[in-house]
Amino acid sequence: AEYNAKLETVSMLMADLEGMSQATGIATLFVDEHLMLTRFTAEATTLFRLRPGDVGRSIEDFSSALIYPQLVDDLRHTMLTGERREREVLGPHGVWYLARVLSYGQRANGTRRMVMSFVDVSRVRDARRMQVLIDALPLHVAVLDAQGTVQLVNQAWIRFAEDNGDPGGHS
């Protein structure tokens, strides 16, 4: 009965993790200490040529739609040191991803497993570019949403607001 209860707990945990994976929609790869693929999310198939039968193969065997020549080096570094690695990489159709490599589950013999996630950060990069552009303008600029709420202001706006009594510079 105790064994069955533990098995049920593990099954529920796996179901929860699978549900979380589906809800986030993040491309994710799991690899073992030998860089063998142990699991991947459906979203990862848009970035890597993967199918269910590929579990157990080396990550080095797969072609990728990402411009990420350091992928294997990042995995090896994280495996050896346990340090997280992050970098922005370009994917298909001009989409930018934050690639994050993280180790987990260190065993008594020192081996680790790793998880790689790829989060679309294109909108963040676009927002940064927009901020740089409006900051370059000498005029006071505010970007509003459809309801008229200020979403972005430039440095000239912030200086003007601070010079006129708003210490936050965003009024």
Side-chain angles (χ1 to χ4, degrees), residues 116-134:
M116 289 192 83
S117 60
F118 300 90
V119 178
D120 182 345
V121 293
S122 296
R123 287 187 178 169
V124 173
R125 288 178 64 90
D126 290 347
R128 279 191 231 141
R129 277 201 325 252
M130 170 74 94
Q131 188 68 56
V132 167
L133 286 172
I134 67 171

Side-chain angles (χ1 to χ4, degrees), residues 36-52:
M36 301 296 193
L37 185 66
T38 60
R39 177 182 295 269
F40 59 91
T41 62
E43 292 78 12
T45 61
T46 63
L47 303 177
F48 296 86
R49 291 198 173 138
L50 299 170
R51 56 186 197 284

